[in-house]
Amino acid sequence: MEETILILDFGSQYTQLIARRVRELNVYCEIYPYNKSPEINEHIKGVILSGSPYSVRGEGVPNPDLSGIRKKLPILGVCYGAQLMAMQDGGDVAPSAVREYGRAELTYINTGSELMKGMSTGSQVWMSHGDTILDIPENFEVITSTHDVKVAGYKVQGEDTYGIQFHPEVYHSTEGTILLKNYVVDICKCSQSWTPDSFVETTIALLKKTLGDDKVVLGLSGGVDSSVAAILLHHAIGSSLHCIFVDNGLLRKNEFKKVLDSYQGMGLNVTGVDSKERFYDALSGLSEPEDKRKAIGRTFIEVFDEEAHKIKDVEWLAQGTIYPDVIESISVKGPSATIKSHHNVGGLPDVMKLKIIEPLNSLFKDEVRRIGKALEMPQNILSRHPFPGPGLGIRIIGKVTEEKIRILQDVDDLFIEGLKNNGLYDDVWQALAVLLPVQTVGVMGDERTYENVVVLRAVGSTDGMTADWAHLPYEFLAKVSNDIINRVKGVNRVVYDISSKPPSTIEWE
Ligand code: XMP
């Protein structure tokens, strides 16, 4: 096990961001719900207490006993975490008189404080709290203030325990990284040795040890996560890894063949299964998004299960699960709720009765890409936009037919190739086309047409949780729209989606 910084999560929307920032410093960091922290051992170098949507003064709010960590490990309380320790030690936390949300400047910094070292007076920080620490216990010392907040940061004397009421992890705290580095490197004494290469080396060794000569089956989707998981396993156990890549008939144009070829090029032991007709049969007559998702998910499980049974004596099912999926299922539920069910392989483990191995379940998406790079995987796989498991099935609004799939594949191909040819593909996080069940009037030559409308959507995002529509150049949109209407039979109108998430979502279904 490597050096680890623990985050006790009190449900803040920024908790994952703290973990990412720590990891960007090449220090491994894990998030635990505030009431389920692991055993403290020598690998744990420090504990960060996150923010929270709750008020420390509320009834029944998180108020764990911190005696197991106080004075034993360096602690950094952020916002709620800072207020919690101040209150537990007898300080006074009260609703803020002035609204403390948004940008503020540090007007006082104790330059002798190890946490604040290298930070400048006037440095901008991001505040986001309704409560504030009015009074600190006697053994607390103020290390930084803003104009409105005297106790913007404190240190507990005689302990490596700190609290700050601003958020160093958000981009608007311009010197937040300096503060976090001071904490993890100088105060927690982490050696910053967690790099993609070290991850690859330790993971391959661990996979070898865990799996030995056992056979493993893995479902490839063409996406980054399952592909990187496959390559790691391939390095560890070679041909004992059996990959299955299912053509559900809902992939992008020519995608199945292109991706299958590139998997084979990487030396993977992969079986491609053409199950288009089965998926189309399962979808026939369905128009509700969740019904379609379920039908696609169920058919995938059936096909995968049948194929996996053709491999003799398989013991393990490998999955490309990544850290956000894990956190989603364990973390403290803040105000956000699940909006849609996301199930690519949902239910697969239960049906197959195999042991599960998930080599990427501690990584964020961008880290998975870096691991893929360290493994020298082809860039076209690593830089791919995310693509949903149910594929074009949820981008054809309403009933799915083969004719509609053909139309959408052609539209999508012109859009995606256009982005690539104009150097815009890597600037957007995800781009897609949607076929609407709407026909509109147009005129082509001398003829009146009555044909389909397609939507183009491109968004910027970091994790898909929030997204903004991409401001693609008008000239580009004009050219793509023209190409689509001229070349794709059945389409006479193209619209561009300018909604952000929230309140919209990225996909239309
Ligand atoms: P939404 O539409 O919820 O999408 O804003 C966020 C991200 O999730 C992807 N997505 C899915 N991925 N199965 C998946 O594997 C699904 O059912 C599914 N629905 C949405 C979406 O493409 C975007 O990247």
Side-chain angles (χ1 to χ4, degrees):
M1 216 184 137
E2 53 257 303
E3 293 176 339
T4 302
I5 294 289
L6 260 185
I7 300 180
L8 291 192
D9 179 25
F10 292 96
S12 161
Q13 57 173 330
Y14 296 129
T15 304
Q16 286 201 31
L17 204 51
I18 307 181
R20 299 172 78 107
R21 294 285 172 264
V22 172
R23 288 169 175 218
E24 278 161 18
L25 294 164
N26 293 332
V27 174
Y28 183 63
C29 180
E30 272 193 18
I31 301 173
Y32 283 83
Y34 71 90
N35 53 356
K36 290 202 194 83
S37 58
E39 288 288 304
I40 299 299
N41 59 38
E42 76 273 19
H43 300 290
I44 296 172
K45 298 292 175 198
V47 181
I48 298 178
L49 311 181
S50 84
S52 174
Y54 300 106
S55 155
V56 286
R57 296 167 305 103
E59 286 278 315
V61 298
N63 188 9
D65 175 6
L66 299 174
S67 58
I69 51 172
R70 285 282 295 271
K71 298 191 183 146
K72 297 185 178 104
L73 285 168
I75 300 180
L76 176 64
V78 175
C79 207
Y80 185 93
Q83 293 161 357
L84 183 71
M85 289 190 290
M87 200 186 67
Q88 287 187 343
D89 285 20
D92 186 16
V93 179
S96 324
V98 192
R99 190 167 151 262
E100 282 159 15
Y101 184 81
R103 294 175 176 83
E105 278 179 15
L106 298 180
T107 47
Y108 161 76
I109 288 177
N110 176 344
T111 44
S113 163
E114 221 174 351
L115 189 68
M116 306 302 295
K117 206 173 47 190
M119 293 184 67
S120 27
T121 320
S123 171
Q124 176 182 294
V125 292
W126 186 256
M127 294 282 186
S128 170
H129 49 102
D131 285 344
T132 196
I133 304 172
L134 282 187
D135 206 12
I136 41 176
E138 250 175 33
N139 60 332
F140 281 39
E141 134 195 36
V142 175
I143 54 172
T144 184
S145 312
T146 68
H147 183 266
D148 294 318
V149 185
K150 180 160 179 279
V151 193
Y154 64 73
K155 174 177 188 319
V156 183
Q157 287 162 3
E159 292 180 33
D160 272 336
T161 299
Y162 297 82
I164 44 175
Q165 293 210 79
F166 53 89
H167 288 272
E169 67 278 13
V170 307
Y171 163 78
H172 306 283
S173 290
T174 45
E175 295 183 334
T177 310
I178 301 181
L179 185 147
L180 287 173
K181 187 170 179 208
N182 289 341
Y183 173 67
V184 297
V185 178
D186 296 335
I187 299 172
C188 299
K189 312 261 181 281
C190 291
S191 62
Q192 298 183 285
S193 54
W194 189 70
T195 60
D197 287 333
S198 74
F199 176 89
V200 167
E201 202 178 306
T202 43
T203 306
I204 290 176
L206 187 68
L207 289 172
K208 272 190 181 148
K209 198 166 143 218
T210 313
L211 301 171
D213 294 328
D214 292 356
K215 283 192 190 168
V216 178
V217 62
L218 175 143
L220 285 167
S221 70
V224 182
D225 306 340
S226 63
S227 307
V228 172
I231 296 295
L232 272 173
L233 281 153
H234 177 68
H235 280 285
I237 60 169
S239 58
S240 298
L241 172 69
H242 296 255
C243 300
I244 297 172
F245 181 32
V246 177
D247 185 357
N248 59 10
L250 302 164
L251 301 174
R252 292 196 145 115
K253 190 174 176 177
N254 303 326
E255 189 89 331
F256 185 68
K257 167 131 192 16
K258 277 195 267 181
V259 175
L260 190 58
D261 286 349
S262 75
Y263 282 142
Q264 280 160 347
M266 286 185 272
L268 288 177
N269 175 7
V270 50
T271 309
V273 190
D274 175 357
S275 309
K276 289 199 271 304
E277 294 308 323
R278 267 174 89 163
F279 282 88
Y280 297 160
D281 283 350
L283 280 169
S284 133
L286 301 182
S287 55
E288 281 296 313
E290 289 299 295
D291 290 347
K292 291 195 285 182
R293 275 198 169 78
K294 286 195 183 109
I296 296 167
R298 197 176 49 239
T299 311
F300 180 82
I301 292 172
E302 286 166 17
V303 172
F304 191 86
D305 193 40
E306 280 168 27
E307 287 303 315
H309 274 97
K310 295 183 188 160
I311 308 161
K312 271 184 107 188
D313 304 325
V314 74
E315 285 190 45
W316 296 83
L317 171 69
Q319 302 199 98
T321 315
I322 65 171
Y323 198 42
D325 309 329
V326 179
I327 306 175
E328 180 82 346
S329 59
I330 60 158
S331 66
V332 178
K333 290 284 172 242
S336 65
T338 307
I339 314 287
K340 293 175 194 171
S341 61
H342 284 194
H343 35 89
N344 296 337
V345 287
L348 200 49
D350 300 342
V351 172
M352 300 194 64
K353 301 195 169 54
L354 296 173
K355 291 181 272 185
I356 306 289
I357 188 109
E358 296 174 322
L360 307 177
N361 65 5
S362 65
L363 301 182
F364 289 110
K365 189 105 188 168
D366 47 338
E367 292 169 341
V368 173
R369 291 205 167 97
R370 264 179 268 146
I371 298 302
K373 205 159 170 229
L375 289 162
E376 294 174 359
M377 289 172 61
Q379 195 54 37
N380 68 329
I381 291 220
L382 297 181
S383 60
R384 288 169 99 82
H385 291 170
F387 188 72
L392 303 185
I394 54 161
R395 293 181 179 170
I396 293 168
I397 308 301
K399 289 193 182 126
V400 178
T401 63
E402 290 189 49
E403 171 64 1
K404 289 183 184 173
I405 295 173
R406 198 258 327 144
I407 293 177
L408 187 57
Q409 280 181 333
D410 286 345
V411 170
D412 176 83
D413 190 53
L414 286 168
F415 185 34
I416 299 296
E417 287 307 309
L419 286 167
K420 287 185 178 161
N421 295 337
N422 287 277
L424 295 165
Y425 184 82
D426 292 330
D427 294 346
V428 302
W429 191 77
Q430 186 172 18
L432 55 113
V434 179
L435 180 62
L436 300 187
V438 170
Q439 273 150 344
T440 64
V441 173
V443 53
M444 272 188 154
D446 290 335
E447 259 179 68
R448 176 185 183 277
T449 61
Y450 191 55
E451 285 174 337
N452 297 288
V453 183
V454 291
V455 179
L456 303 184
R457 178 139 173 81
V459 296
S461 178
T462 48
D463 51 14
M465 302 292 288
T466 59
D468 199 4
W469 61 279
H471 296 212
L472 293 177
Y474 283 172
E475 300 70 36
F476 168 75
L477 289 171
K479 165 97 173 63
V480 174
S481 156
N482 212 37
D483 286 351
I484 291 172
I485 295 173
N486 284 333
R487 297 209 222 151
V488 185
K489 198 165 163 290
V491 174
N492 70 355
R493 193 174 297 268
V494 174
V495 298
Y496 188 58
D497 183 350
I498 53 167
S499 330
S500 54
K501 173 182 178 177
S504 299
T505 52
I506 298 176
E507 304 288 347
W508 275 48
E509 286 198 331

